[in-house]
Structure formats: structure tokens, C-alpha cells
Amino acid sequence: MVECALVLEGGALRCLFTAGVLDVMMEQEVEASCVIGVSAGALSGVNYLSKQVGRTAKVNIRYMQDKRYFSAQNWLQKKGFFNFDFMFGELSERLLPLDFETFERSKQRLIAVATSCETGEAMYFEKGVCSDILQAVRASCSIPLMEPVVTVEGTDCVDGGVAMAIPYQRAIQEGYKKIVVVLTRDVTYRKKPNSPAVLRLYDQVFKEYPGLLEKIRTAPERYNEMVEEVLALESQGRIFVIRPETPITISRMEKDKDKLRALYREGRRIGKKQRKALLEYLGIL
């Protein structure tokens, strides 16, 4: 095991890029001592700890067109497009079994980042400390307006990307000297402000949570500031960044299997391309 923090950005189906990178790391037996994941990054981290190469890709490529997994019907019935009951139930228990035993026994830390509805601040839930880490992962993935609020240990939460889209600072605060950041956007990407119409919808749905609304309103600006700081830390050699080389064109809820496979292959390609540099950064070579 390598003493380092692996920080995984979210991005829904853009996690196929992350899946490719992590599968290469698992194949090379690069085992980070701590994984800090946001949204789909947290889900990818679960399969990284369970050491199941290919599982993240299989889940999303095979089942994205399955209405049990993702559909408008799910939203009408459960107030969420993704059916997490199916994902952590039948899918993980029977169809594409998650190795719960390996996951639970892993000595690697897993921290799922969610956003508190009450305060709008980031919440960090750690495996072995949190009473239900998979519930925390579910909260980390609960995109506002697309998924319902999820309660974790008495706190109502939504997607961690609202408060802390790229939690590299958490890794720094925890004292990690080696930090690997996997992004799901290329180096040129910057978020644009939300439209007034979308902001009005947020205001209506989350009017009882002023702290959360403030974080939603400022999310694009804060994300762009994080990207600039990541670039600065990368140039200083403080962190090692793995990102797509070209703009990601798939939608956040992409259903085209060919596009999803291509993104997964691109993640694997970049993972292999940066393997030597990564191992040198980690002090393995």
C-alpha cells in the first residue's frame, strides 16, 4: 500500500474515465492508502477498494439503458432518476455482485464527500467511522433536482460536488504528502454560471435551506477557483493530476454504450500513458 491520497472528482457518467484509470491502477497493484471521492467518484472508489477491475464500467455500460437503474419512471416513483435501491440491492447482490467482504476488510480509507443541506458545507463520511458508508456514498451522488435528499447520521445531504467538487484540500489538511487527483474534465474546462431560470427552480425546491442555496449559486465560481489552484499545485509538483486530454463530449446521463465504452478506453489509455510518471511521483520507481 502506498501512503497517498487518491482524490476522485464526480461527474455522473464521466466516471467511465475514472473507471479506466482506476482499473489500470488496480492491475498495476497501485493501492492508495486513502480515497476521497465525490459523487460518482465515491462510487468508483467503492469498486477500487473491493478490487473489482471492470465493475464500474460494467455497471454503467450494461445497465444505463435498464429502467431499473436509470429512468424517468424512477424519478416519478422515488424522486430520483438513478435507482440506488436497485444499485445497492439486486445489482450489487446478484447481477454484478460487489465483493462486500473485500470492501469491508480493506485497510484503505474511503471518504465520501456530501453536502449538508442545513449549512451548505462539505461533510466527510469515512468507512469504518460512519455507521453506513454506502448510505453516505448514496448521499454523495444525490444531484440536486435529479435525486432526493439523503439523510446520513441525522444530517440531510445532497451531492458532495455542490460544496467541494475537488476535495484535494481535504487531503492536504489530513497531512498527505503525496496526492493523486483524477479529474473528469480536460484542462481547458471551466464551469459557466447557472441560468436565472435554473436558479429560480433551486430557490423554489430548496427554499428551506439558505446555506445550501448559497453554495449552489456560487458553485461554478468556486469550481473554477479550485481548477486554478489544482493547476498551480500541479505545476509545483505538490499533486499529481490525471485528466482527459480532450474535452469530454458525453452528457452527464449518457446512454450511448459506444460513447461510454470509448470514454472507459480513454481512461485506460491515459492511465497507462501516465503510469511511469505516477510511479515516480509516488516514489515506487
Side-chain angles (χ1 to χ4, degrees), residues 11-14 39 64 69-84 138-139 141-150 157-159 162 198 201-202 205-206 216 251-255:
L13 271 296
R14 293 197 303 273
S39 197
M64 190 56 189
Y69 182 61
F70 178 87
S71 68
Q73 183 179 350
N74 289 337
W75 191 88
L76 291 173
Q77 294 176 345
K78 300 175 180 291
K79 301 302 181 184
F81 285 95
F82 283 100
N83 184 349
F84 287 96
R138 181 173 181 163
C141 297
S142 293
I143 303 169
L145 302 183
M146 294 191 63
E147 303 296 331
V149 169
V150 177
C157 298
V158 294
D159 193 309
V162 174
V198 170
L201 183 56
Y202 280 127
V205 173
F206 297 107
I216 289 174
S251 68
R252 198 156 59 169
M253 303 303 161
E254 184 65 62
K255 288 192 174 186

Side-chain angles (χ1 to χ4, degrees), residues 2 30 196 199 235 250 256:
V2 182
V30 179
L199 288 176
S235 68
I250 72 166
D256 188 315

Side-chain angles (χ1 to χ4, degrees), residues 186-229:
D186 74 289
V187 71
T188 67
Y189 178 79
R190 300 295 184 276
K191 279 188 182 294
K192 297 179 181 179
N194 288 309
S195 69
V198 170
L199 288 176
R200 285 195 296 271
L201 183 56
Y202 280 127
D203 287 341
Q204 180 179 354
V205 173
F206 297 107
K207 57 186 176 183
E208 61 185 298
Y209 299 122
L212 176 62
L213 283 173
E214 177 61 22
K215 280 294 193 291
I216 289 174
R217 293 188 193 101
T218 61
E221 178 183 351
R222 289 183 294 102
Y223 178 85
N224 294 340
E225 290 173 354
M226 289 180 205
V227 169
E228 295 300 331
E229 186 170 10

Side-chain angles (χ1 to χ4, degrees), residues 4-7 166-173 176-183 226-243 274 277-278 281-282:
C4 73
L6 177 60
V7 176
I166 313 172
Y168 57 93
Q169 283 292 351
R170 179 70 177 192
I172 294 173
Q173 291 165 6
Y176 285 96
K177 302 301 181 185
K178 299 292 184 179
I179 301 170
V180 179
V181 179
V182 181
L183 301 179
M226 289 180 205
V227 169
E228 295 300 331
E229 186 170 10
V230 164
L231 286 168
L233 292 169
E234 182 183 20
S235 68
Q236 297 163 15
R238 179 67 180 88
I239 64 177
F240 188 94
V241 182
I242 302 174
R243 60 168 70 83
Q274 294 193 235
L278 172 61
Y281 169 79
L282 294 174

Side-chain angles (χ1 to χ4, degrees), residues 112-116 119-125 160 162-165 167 170 215:
V113 185
T115 301
S116 165
T119 67
E121 298 300 320
M123 303 284 291
Y124 300 92
F125 298 102
V162 174
M164 191 59 62
R170 179 70 177 192
K215 280 294 193 291

Side-chain angles (χ1 to χ4, degrees), residues 62-74 77-78 80-87 90-91 94-95:
R62 290 185 187 179
Y63 289 94
M64 190 56 189
Q65 294 181 357
D66 190 317
K67 291 182 179 179
R68 294 172 297 174
Y69 182 61
F70 178 87
S71 68
Q73 183 179 350
N74 289 337
Q77 294 176 345
K78 300 175 180 291
F81 285 95
F82 283 100
N83 184 349
F84 287 96
D85 292 335
F86 173 73
M87 186 186 303
E90 184 180 3
L91 181 56
R94 186 176 65 84
L95 300 175

